[in-house]
Amino acid sequence: MKDTYRHKGLRRKLIESIREKGIRDEAVLEAMLQLPRHFFMDKAFEELAYQDKAFPIGNDQTISQPLTVAIQTSLLEVNPREKILEVGTGSGYQAALLGMLGARVYTLERHRPLHLQAQQLLRQLKLGNIRCFHRDGFKGLPEFAPFDKIIVTAGAEEVPEKLSRQLKIGGKMVIPVGKKVQEMLVVTRTAEQEFEQLKKGSFRFVPFLKGLK
Ligand code: SAH
């Protein structure tokens, strides 16, 4: 895997365009500038990796659009050492970005081939603070709960209760919810039995589905 000057130049332009679209979180922009997105995509799409678009990664899934990744990651307000659960490993790009921001990352994927591929890539990149699991995200990861933050990268029909129960008090989850189009929700656990919700705009994600593949 090579990260050439050409890749770096294209990436710089992409990150500038994301900044112009309103992302102001410098830590997120800097991490996206450092992380080669083309490592997470098929060779066939290498030339397109620095367009602000989602692309296929196999098994009918996609690597999210960079602007969407930037928005979700900014909403998550990641602090170093935080324990973060990601549902929907996919290519591993989002997990890698969280790792670069200093989080301790636990990421779940239901498609075994995607899980294995992302796990291998993340190991190669020596991002040591990321653990990959072949699991159904509806159940979360109870043995490692509670989490400071949870990020879901597939569109759910509702907020899965098992996931919100795995948040620390004061912790928050960023999750797109809806059938055809999803509303980005930021759910904060304000007390043992209390959750607050904020809406942060409309998006389109691949569906959050039950069961392992
Ligand atoms: N974060 C990914 C985006 C991948 S798309 C990236 O950076 O590339 C969303 C992923 O969520 C898909 O790979 C899909 O298989 C996965 N997914 C959907 N429902 C799931 C579930 N119940 N449990 C775990 N993963 C799920």
Side-chain angles (χ1 to χ4, degrees):
M1 279 182 300
K2 269 200 195 147
D3 189 30
T4 64
Y5 281 110
R6 179 172 154 70
H7 290 126
K8 289 190 173 91
L10 291 171
R11 195 152 69 241
R12 191 165 293 282
K13 279 194 189 149
L14 171 65
I15 303 315
E16 275 322 303
S17 80
I18 286 175
R19 187 194 301 278
E20 280 159 20
K21 288 172 191 163
I23 301 296
R24 289 287 175 269
D25 187 326
E26 288 303 323
V28 171
L29 292 169
E30 181 59 29
M32 289 182 76
L33 191 58
Q34 299 302 327
L35 185 62
R37 187 175 185 242
H38 65 281
F39 287 0
F40 298 84
M41 293 170 53
D42 195 284
K43 262 260 175 236
F45 296 112
E46 187 168 337
E47 277 303 303
L48 308 173
Y50 298 104
Q51 295 189 3
D52 192 13
K53 288 184 185 155
F55 286 104
I57 53 171
N59 295 87
D60 269 346
Q61 305 305 320
T62 57
I63 179 172
S64 304
Q65 181 184 342
L67 179 61
T68 303
V69 173
I71 292 172
Q72 279 199 287
T73 312
S74 308
L75 288 172
L76 210 56
E77 298 185 295
V78 180
N79 296 302
R81 304 290 304 148
E82 275 182 341
K83 210 166 131 186
I84 302 189
L85 176 67
E86 181 195 21
V87 177
T89 313
S91 67
Y93 178 79
Q94 174 74 70
L97 195 63
L98 296 172
M100 289 179 68
L101 290 167
R104 291 174 291 153
V105 184
Y106 297 77
T107 181
L108 316 183
E109 173 56 54
R110 70 188 280 270
H111 279 284
R112 189 172 163 83
L114 291 177
H115 154 70
L116 291 174
Q117 200 180 339
Q119 184 175 50
Q120 190 189 18
L121 177 59
L122 292 167
R123 269 189 202 141
Q124 267 176 29
L125 296 177
K126 298 204 166 49
L127 293 164
N129 47 359
I130 304 175
R131 299 168 73 170
C132 300
F133 300 83
H134 180 223
R135 293 286 186 92
D136 181 353
F138 271 97
K139 299 184 179 138
L141 202 59
E143 67 269 46
F144 291 101
F147 296 94
D148 295 292
K149 309 277 168 69
I150 299 178
I151 175 170
V152 178
T153 65
E157 290 195 9
E158 54 187 16
V159 179
E161 199 187 317
K162 281 191 180 151
L163 285 186
S164 21
R165 298 251 152 244
Q166 290 178 25
L167 277 176
K168 284 186 188 169
I169 307 226
K172 68 176 169 179
M173 168 160 46
V174 175
I175 177 170
V177 175
K179 283 191 178 162
K180 278 197 175 154
V181 178
Q182 292 85 32
E183 192 78 43
M184 191 66 74
L185 298 186
V186 178
V187 180
T188 305
R189 186 172 201 177
T190 49
E192 183 63 34
Q193 305 292 350
E194 271 174 36
F195 296 89
E196 250 174 43
Q197 275 191 15
L198 291 174
K199 289 186 180 174
K200 296 287 180 179
S202 297
F203 296 81
R204 253 174 225 275
F205 281 79
V206 294
F208 191 2
L209 300 169
K210 283 206 170 112
L212 292 180
K213 280 283 187 179

